[in-house]
Amino acid sequence: MASATENQWLKGRVKAVTSGDCLVITALTHNRPGAPPEKTITLSSLMAPKMARRGGKDEPFAWESKEFLRKLCIGKEVAFKVDYKVEAIAGREFGSVFLGNQNVAKLVVQNGWAKVRDPGQNNQGKVSPYITELLQLQEQATQEGFGCWSKVPGAAEASIRDLPPSAIGDSAGFDAMGLLAANKGKPMEGIVEQVRDGSTIRVYLLPEFQFVQVFVAGIQSLSMGRRNTNGNVVETVPDESNGDASGESKGPLTSAQRLAASSAAASSVEVSADPFAAEAKYFTEHRVLSRDVRIVLEGVDKFNNLIGSVHYSDGEAVKDLGLELVENGLAKYVEWSANMMEEEAKRKLKAAELQCKKDKVKMWANYVPPATNSKALHDQNFTGKVVEVVSGDCIVVADDAIPYGSPAAERRVNLSSIRCPKMGNPRREEKPAPYAREAREFLRQRLIGKQVIVQMEYSRKVTPAEGATTTGAADRIMDFGSVFIPSSPAKGDSEEVSASAISGSQPAGVNIAELLLSRGFGNVVRHRDFEERSNHYDALLAAESRALSGKKGIHSAKESPVMHITDLTVAAAKKAKDFLPSLQRIRRIPAVVEYVLSGHRCKLYIPKLTCSIAFAFSGVRCPGRGEPFSDEAISVMRRRIMQRDVEIEVETVDRTGTFLGSMWESRTNVATVLLEAGLAKMQTSFGADRIVEAHILEQAERSAKNQKLKIWENYVEGQEVSNGSTTVETRQKETLKVAVTEVLGGGRFYVQTVGDQRIASIQNQLASLSVKDAPIIGSFNPKRGDIVLAQFSLDNSWNRAMIVNAPRAAVESPDEKFEVFYIDYGNQEEVPYSAIRPVDPSVSSAPGLAQLCRLAYIKVPSLEEDFGPEAGEYLHTITLGSGKEFKAVIEERDASGGKVKGQGTGTELVVTLIAVDDEISVNAAMLQEGIARMEKRKRFEHKDKKAALDALEKFQEEARKSRTGIWQYGDVESDDEDTAPARKPAGGGRR
């Protein structure tokens, strides 16, 4: 279009109207990238009144003339042709413009808003083709008194605008702060006069005609660059003086001289425009130039520039210019000016920019997201009961899908995208931050023991540098999710949750994080771009905004209530004894369980006395740490009383400062829960008469004994069961013919029973399977504990395996690693996702064929101890490396379910292992080689065991005398676990 010849009709769209007789027209279509070509056309043979220049005045009716043409043509499609050019005025082009079938020049003259230029004798070729009609229309307008020809007295003077001080150019008289104070937040009508760049416009504010420059709030478009304004070449003066110059040294430059020199140097440098800058400018011009807009002033920066939101009409809709620019990838979000805006507008801008970055739109085409330590979690939603509130933003939920009482059921969930005050650590003398206790108590009252729905959203790797962790602590993974109460909001909460939650568009229920923020108990985390966040982030921001406006919680000017709690659990035992009379005077004392320390021992907070105490059930004991059923007892107690409101009666205090007594939760004696489940037994050597409700406890224990539950599973009437570190079932000795399949450290190994019919059956089933291609990523997501087919790396055979460790998030690559345990052989390795297949339940349901064993009567060093690697290598060589079959004489069956390297649980066979053609057992051979030693003898041994130990002792003595292996430096001192436990006095017991 720019190269069009005269008298050629073209079509275009009116982009701007600069005066009553001048239009800027852009092409309807174009093939070049960027903004379309445009032409400035002055209507042929017309002279409209001139608008005021900077510091000047309008000619009469100049504004009305321009407004008539603007409202008539702006944004509309027109046909035009160039009639002539006038080189004397910079080659200005004059032409005829038609709007539909109407001549625009005729309409202007007909309404009296321009004069027709007299053609004269010397300009016969530079006139409008319609000059005759224009002269006739001017004569009619003059007679009628239209427009500029008005016959109303004083009309011409009244049409001249009284322009106030401008913010552009000499702004000495312009009061930006005063304008903001008078109009902040109010929509102001205006007409855009000029677009400097995509995010900067110059506007006449109506009705005062104040000419201001407005920067669009919250965004910044790309720079249009800078041209060399003076065209001069900046010369440098050499250090040595000219021959004609004086030898006197010149004084230093003044500040003004330095500023002038730097300005001259800067103006001489041409800076090219950024990519998409011209497109951003055209985008803004196409929508708002010469159009009516509404400006909402948001603020003023330190340079007295106005910052505001710009809204324009697009048909029936009203659009936000800043948001449109960001959504189209033509501007970026700017935090400092966005902070002047309302929260909702800020969120929209930020979300639009993030989406453009993800889609790589326009200016973000080459955007590379920064590295992040967060990863999305998919398909990990679950329901469960809240067991513990760790802090205002962290809870522990027991998964309903895992059996009740199992320690594996508990999952720690950090609330997504919020941060509450830290609780501190009294053992490190860290005090709780303001409102930390209030936030935790708010959650405790709302959630403890309640059913919740958890939507896991992302995980984040936390390094020791990010938190107050101990020296040498490893990185840890924190899982984040949203927690919902599946019910309608409680009384007083309905005003504090989003409308989406109440209306049901948020199907899970009431978001507890939203409630916390609405009460002012936390802040929303401002995530970086591409950092995972809550799926309900906007609702969280809205809740935080409500708390800010209401000045609640941490946002209030008030100090948080100060609580002075006496913690007797870290104080001396004497101080606890001093408190005993106070606790005994009150019969049933209300308390809150702060923590479950063991099955029968916990930490309590007593609000009435503002103190924390250690409390244990009187006359009831659970297995100790590391003993069978210890973890299950703790888990049951956490599910039953953790952070619940309870009542206690205190009887006495022991020498460690632990208070002994009885506890009730919902009118139920808590000790009966443990006793009925077979997770505790009574200790009444001091007499049961002082225990409250002793008869109920005895009845509960008797019920567990009769059903042989847990610790009573081997109970025989009249015989006491030990709660020691091992629960051993003694059996009549039996001998198995076995093949060793895997050797671990510490004298442990896996075997298969030779001749077992199950081996052939499972091998036939595996051979009949058709192993297909690797599954499509996402269609098969094995989890920990699942039985699958895995390809063994050494021989590429497919075997049954259990998933031991799996990626936390959904699989995204065929190379992601899974740790698997081959249940038929006992070995364990990491395999890629591509080497795993789902397996039919008919194949996976059969128990594993690998049996865990350990060598009887001897202690073999673990792989981490001295001579441990040598012991492992020797055992591997004489078993797996020899290819022999062995007889395994079963001395004991250890049913404690000890876990080895994450490789399964179950009964462990304690055996004497003898090769079919060897004279001595493997047990004796390892003693003879000095890579094992005999276990500690006890005072009273069974005669069979005593005979076996006597037989083995000669092999150990042989190694000792020859200083072989572990005996090379003399006798080996026995460790703590070999030392026989001291006899406990009658009536005593560990508490």
Side-chain angles (χ1 to χ4, degrees):
M1 188 172 96
S3 61
T5 58
E6 294 181 13
N7 297 316
Q8 179 181 354
W9 284 98
L10 301 170
K11 287 188 176 181
R13 191 177 305 280
V14 179
K15 176 179 110 174
V17 174
T18 58
S19 66
D21 58 4
C22 187
L23 308 94
V24 179
I25 304 174
T26 61
L28 295 178
T29 60
H30 66 291
N31 298 322
R32 295 182 302 173
E38 61 182 44
K39 270 189 177 294
T40 301
I41 300 295
T42 303
L43 297 177
S44 299
S45 299
L46 295 192
M47 289 189 304
K50 292 181 173 56
M51 298 281 292
R53 300 206 170 204
R54 190 177 296 169
K57 282 189 175 184
D58 291 342
E59 291 184 358
F61 301 106
W63 177 259
E64 289 82 353
S65 173
K66 178 185 174 183
E67 279 294 280
F68 175 81
L69 186 59
R70 184 183 73 84
K71 292 177 179 178
L72 178 67
C73 297
I74 195 67
K76 296 178 181 178
E77 186 177 331
V78 295
F80 71 97
K81 71 181 180 69
V82 178
D83 295 328
Y84 57 89
K85 289 185 180 179
V86 178
E87 299 296 339
I89 47 178
R92 183 182 297 179
E93 294 179 316
F94 293 79
S96 301
V97 179
F98 275 75
L99 181 64
N101 59 359
Q102 292 183 302
N103 188 328
V104 172
K106 289 182 181 180
L107 293 174
V108 172
V109 174
Q110 182 179 352
N111 286 275
W113 296 119
K115 296 179 181 179
V116 181
R117 193 187 300 273
D118 187 1
Q121 293 294 326
N122 298 325
N123 294 313
Q124 291 296 324
K126 297 186 183 300
V127 295
S128 170
Y130 309 99
I131 185 65
T132 305
E133 292 97 321
L134 293 176
L135 289 171
Q136 291 174 357
L137 290 171
Q138 178 179 254
E139 183 64 27
Q140 294 175 8
T142 303
Q143 292 177 2
E144 297 291 338
F146 291 154
C148 300
W149 313 108
S150 175
K151 298 176 182 179
V152 176
E157 291 77 7
S159 68
I160 300 173
R161 295 176 300 165
D162 182 14
L163 299 176
S166 171
I168 303 166
D170 183 11
S171 57
F174 177 68
D175 182 10
M177 290 302 298
L179 182 65
L180 174 67
N183 299 281
K184 182 172 174 59
K186 302 175 184 176
M188 303 172 66
E189 302 294 333
I191 298 174
V192 177
E193 188 70 13
Q194 182 185 350
V195 174
R196 198 191 75 174
D197 57 43
S199 58
T200 310
I201 59 175
R202 292 176 175 177
V203 186
Y204 274 117
L205 297 178
L206 303 179
E208 288 83 7
F209 297 104
Q210 193 150 30
F211 192 44
V212 298
Q213 180 167 275
V214 177
F215 293 85
V216 181
I219 70 164
Q220 181 181 339
S221 67
L222 297 167
S223 170
M224 289 297 297
R226 184 173 61 242
R227 289 179 295 178
N228 186 344
T229 55
N230 54 22
N232 296 330
V233 179
V234 180
E235 297 182 357
T236 57
V237 180
D239 292 338
E240 57 272 23
S241 60
N242 198 332
D244 297 334
S246 168
E248 298 177 6
S249 61
K250 297 182 179 180
L253 295 176
T254 64
S255 299
Q257 288 172 327
R258 283 198 300 271
L259 183 60
S262 64
S263 300
S267 63
S268 67
V269 178
E270 182 169 333
V271 179
S272 60
D274 291 330
F276 300 105
E279 187 175 344
K281 181 180 179 183
Y282 173 73
F283 183 93
T284 300
E285 288 176 337
H286 181 66
R287 285 156 177 78
V288 300
L289 183 59
S290 293
R291 303 190 189 221
D292 297 305
V293 294
R294 286 188 176 183
I295 308 290
V296 179
L297 294 181
E298 308 285 2
V300 174
D301 67 10
K302 61 183 178 181
F303 301 108
N304 229 26
N305 295 314
L306 292 171
I307 313 293
S309 301
V310 180
H311 303 272
Y312 67 94
S313 297
D314 183 13
E316 297 295 324
V318 176
K319 294 188 175 181
D320 183 341
L321 176 63
L323 184 59
E324 290 284 303
L325 282 164
V326 174
E327 286 178 340
N328 285 275
L330 296 171
K332 63 181 179 180
Y333 174 81
V334 179
E335 186 77 33
W336 69 266
S337 65
N339 287 335
M340 301 176 182
M341 306 168 67
E342 293 183 355
E343 288 297 323
E344 182 66 20
K346 282 176 59 178
R347 285 198 297 274
K348 287 182 179 179
L349 287 177
K350 187 66 177 173
E353 183 190 59
L354 182 60
Q355 191 59 47
C356 281
K357 287 178 177 178
K358 288 180 178 178
D359 298 339
K360 296 187 179 294
V361 179
K362 299 288 176 65
M363 64 181 287
W364 306 111
N366 299 318
Y367 177 76
V368 178
T372 176
N373 60 354
S374 62
K375 188 176 182 180
L377 297 176
H378 304 287
D379 302 325
Q380 291 198 27
N381 301 343
F382 66 97
T383 61
K385 284 190 177 180
V386 178
V387 174
E388 179 184 359
V389 175
V390 180
S391 64
D393 51 17
C394 180
I395 63 175
V396 177
V397 183
D399 192 342
D400 287 343
I402 300 176
Y404 181 87
S406 171
E410 294 188 4
R411 296 185 62 177
R412 182 176 288 244
V413 180
N414 298 279
L415 298 182
S416 297
S417 299
I418 75 167
R419 185 176 290 119
C420 294
K422 293 183 178 180
M423 284 301 301
N425 189 329
R427 295 188 181 276
R428 290 202 293 262
E429 297 184 353
E430 295 175 2
K431 294 184 178 180
Y435 290 99
R437 285 198 182 98
E438 288 81 356
R440 187 175 69 170
E441 181 63 15
F442 175 80
L443 279 193
R444 187 187 75 82
Q445 293 181 359
R446 289 292 195 285
L447 296 183
I448 281 296
K450 301 290 179 60
Q451 193 77 12
V452 294
I453 299 170
V454 182
Q455 294 181 353
M456 300 309 297
E457 290 163 334
Y458 61 93
S459 64
R460 187 162 68 91
K461 182 183 288 187
V462 180
T463 60
E466 292 183 51
T469 56
T470 56
T471 304
D475 293 353
R476 58 194 176 99
I477 302 295
M478 298 175 65
D479 292 336
F480 292 81
S482 294
V483 179
F484 299 88
I485 306 173
S487 60
S488 57
K491 186 177 181 181
D493 289 344
S494 57
E495 296 179 0
E496 298 177 352
V497 296
S498 64
S500 61
I502 299 172
S503 64
S505 60
Q506 190 171 279
V510 181
N511 189 341
I512 196 65
E514 201 175 337
L515 286 180
L516 273 168
L517 293 169
S518 297
R519 294 294 181 99
F521 291 142
N523 290 309
V524 178
V525 176
R526 265 56 183 183
H527 294 281
R528 294 177 298 171
D529 290 342
F530 287 87
E531 198 170 49
E532 298 296 335
R533 63 195 67 200
S534 170
N535 296 334
H536 314 279
Y537 195 70
D538 288 349
L540 299 183
L541 288 170
E544 182 187 46
S545 178
R546 292 194 296 271
L548 279 165
S549 59
K551 296 183 177 180
K552 297 180 180 179
I554 61 177
H555 310 297
S556 66
K558 299 184 296 183
E559 293 288 334
S560 65
V562 178
M563 291 183 66
H564 297 288
I565 298 175
T566 305
D567 192 347
L568 298 178
T569 63
V570 296
K574 184 179 182 304
K575 191 168 185 179
K577 291 178 180 178
D578 294 340
F579 261 78
L580 180 61
S582 302
L583 295 172
Q584 287 177 325
R585 276 196 298 269
I586 312 170
R587 290 294 295 167
R588 288 203 177 184
I589 310 167
V592 178
V593 179
E594 287 192 334
Y595 200 77
V596 174
L597 303 171
S598 70
H600 61 271
R601 192 166 177 266
C602 56
K603 182 180 179 180
L604 303 178
Y605 169 63
I606 303 175
K608 192 169 186 178
L609 301 176
T610 61
C611 68
S612 295
I613 65 170
F615 181 86
F617 301 139
S618 180
V620 176
R621 291 296 172 268
C622 295
R625 291 278 184 180
E627 297 177 1
F629 308 112
S630 168
D631 290 342
E632 189 172 343
I634 293 173
S635 180
V636 167
M637 282 296 95
R638 284 174 61 82
R639 291 284 291 265
R640 183 64 192 234
I641 64 171
M642 183 71 179
Q643 293 185 329
R644 306 282 185 98
D645 293 310
V646 297
E647 291 182 324
I648 61 169
E649 277 191 24
V650 175
E651 298 168 10
T652 185
V653 62
D654 67 10
R655 56 189 176 85
T656 66
T658 300
F659 293 90
L660 306 179
S662 300
M663 177 189 293
W664 292 266
E665 192 273 327
S666 299
R667 298 186 179 180
T668 300
N669 191 318
V670 177
T672 62
V673 176
L674 290 167
L675 292 167
E676 286 176 346
L679 294 171
K681 65 177 183 176
M682 292 190 67
Q683 282 189 345
T684 56
S685 54
F686 54 83
D689 53 334
R690 77 181 199 187
I691 302 176
V692 179
E693 297 181 349
H695 64 288
I696 297 177
L697 302 184
E698 290 171 351
Q699 184 179 347
E701 183 184 51
R702 193 177 307 111
S703 172
K705 285 180 178 179
N706 294 337
Q707 298 177 63
K708 296 185 181 295
L709 299 177
K710 308 299 182 184
I711 65 174
W712 306 110
E713 61 184 352
N714 300 313
Y715 172 72
V716 179
E717 190 70 32
Q719 179 179 328
E720 192 62 49
V721 173
S722 170
N723 273 339
S725 60
T726 57
T727 302
V728 176
E729 297 180 51
T730 58
R731 294 273 192 271
Q732 184 177 2
K733 289 186 181 181
E734 73 178 282
T735 303
L736 300 175
K737 194 173 183 181
V738 299
V740 177
T741 58
E742 176 69 357
V743 174
L744 310 177
R748 284 177 164 81
F749 52 93
Y750 279 94
V751 300
Q752 282 185 355
T753 304
V754 176
D756 190 341
Q757 296 297 323
R758 296 179 301 160
I759 298 176
S761 173
I762 289 175
Q763 286 177 344
N764 291 335
Q765 283 181 302
L766 292 175
S768 66
L769 294 177
S770 174
V771 179
K772 301 178 181 178
D773 294 335
I776 299 172
I777 293 175
S779 64
F780 173 52
N781 290 303
K783 301 185 291 296
R784 183 177 180 180
D786 287 354
I787 302 298
V788 298
L789 279 183
Q791 191 174 31
F792 187 45
S793 59
L794 293 184
D795 60 7
N796 293 329
S797 63
W798 291 90
N799 301 281
R800 298 191 303 164
M802 176 190 292
I803 301 294
V804 176
N805 277 315
R808 287 177 172 267
V811 176
E812 297 177 354
S813 165
D815 297 325
E816 290 199 42
K817 299 294 185 183
F818 287 74
E819 190 173 0
V820 299
F821 168 64
Y822 295 101
I823 62 175
D824 297 326
Y825 296 93
N827 39 9
Q828 184 166 325
E829 67 173 349
E830 278 194 348
V831 297
Y833 177 74
S834 58
I836 296 176
R837 302 288 187 275
V839 63
D840 190 86
S842 63
V843 179
S844 63
S845 59
L849 302 176
Q851 171 64 57
L852 181 62
C853 301
R854 80 167 183 266
L855 297 174
Y857 308 138
I858 67 172
K859 288 185 62 64
V860 181
S862 67
L863 294 176
E864 292 77 23
E865 296 175 329
D866 291 342
F867 293 95
E870 291 85 345
E873 181 66 26
Y874 180 82
L875 184 57
H876 184 278
T877 301
I878 66 174
T879 55
L880 271 174
S882 67
K884 297 179 181 178
E885 291 183 356
F886 292 84
K887 290 189 299 180
V889 180
I890 301 175
E891 309 291 351
E892 294 174 352
R893 294 179 186 268
D894 187 349
S896 61
K899 199 168 188 181
V900 180
K901 288 181 65 181
Q903 301 180 353
T905 60
T907 302
E908 182 181 38
L909 301 184
V910 184
V911 302
T912 298
L913 192 66
I914 309 169
V916 174
D917 55 352
D918 281 357
E919 296 181 0
I920 66 171
S921 66
V922 173
N923 310 50
M926 295 193 73
L927 289 172
Q928 193 175 38
E929 293 292 327
I931 49 179
R933 58 192 174 95
M934 292 176 58
E935 66 181 33
K936 189 79 172 180
R937 284 179 180 262
K938 297 179 181 177
R939 180 176 298 180
F940 302 104
E941 299 281 11
H942 190 275
K943 62 179 182 178
D944 291 341
K945 184 174 182 180
K946 185 175 184 300
L949 290 172
D950 290 340
L952 291 172
E953 192 165 13
K954 64 181 181 180
F955 295 99
Q956 177 173 287
E957 193 62 29
E958 180 183 337
R960 191 204 307 265
K961 287 180 179 178
S962 61
R963 297 292 179 92
T964 303
I966 62 177
W967 309 103
Q968 61 180 326
Y969 299 116
D971 286 352
V972 180
E973 293 183 2
S974 61
D975 53 23
D976 291 340
E977 65 178 309
D978 285 336
T979 305
R983 185 184 294 273
K984 297 180 181 178
R990 190 180 65 185
R991 293 187 173 91

